Amino acid sequence: MMKKLLLFFTAICLFSSFYSKDSANAGLLVNTWIWEKSIGGTNNPYLATPKTSGFNKKVVFTSDGRVITYKNDVEIRNSPYEIAKGTGIADNAEHDLITFEGKTYVIEKLDNQNLTILSNNTDASRTIFKR
């Protein structure tokens, strides 16, 4: 009986440590991100910024799995998002992927000040946000 109890607590501790690692990545994402620029991929090279586009954009990732998109401080979308491990089409390697608004992106860079997402398709355009 004691061995089963010890095994049970060991399993709980292991799963708890995995959860903490995943939630730390999600914790970095949860915040307000201001769009800085978008860079087109190889099939459609372009550079778009708030100045060239004529509008500001921000996205707010919430802790309850929602992403709220604003254009010129007016809410235009409110939808769920999901983070999962998956394969990036551009390099066929495993990455953290984020899916929202019907599209999947590779999380290319995520830290306290920067979020860069790469469209997970053959065009592979980048969108860069700052806090």
Side-chain angles (χ1 to χ4, degrees), residues 23-82:
S23 63
N25 289 334
L28 283 174
L29 183 66
V30 172
N31 209 325
T32 299
W33 296 94
I34 308 298
W35 174 54
E36 185 175 87
K37 63 184 166 183
S38 295
I39 304 165
T42 55
N43 296 331
N44 185 18
Y46 65 88
L47 176 65
T49 66
K51 187 174 183 176
T52 62
S53 299
F55 62 88
N56 294 313
K57 181 179 174 182
K58 69 180 175 183
V59 292
V60 178
F61 290 96
T62 67
S63 59
D64 64 347
R66 307 289 300 172
V67 57
I68 306 163
T69 304
Y70 295 87
K71 183 176 178 180
N72 291 332
D73 294 320
V74 175
E75 183 179 322
I76 59 170
R77 280 187 289 284
N78 186 325
S79 58
Y81 72 88
E82 184 178 319

Side-chain angles (χ1 to χ4, degrees), residues 4 11 21 31-32 56 60 74 105 109 112 115 119 121 127 130-131:
K4 287 182 181 178
K21 183 177 178 184
N31 209 325
T32 299
N56 294 313
V60 178
V74 175
Y105 303 90
K109 182 176 186 176
N112 288 327
L115 170 63
S119 297
N121 57 34
T127 303
K130 299 285 182 183
R131 282 210 183 165

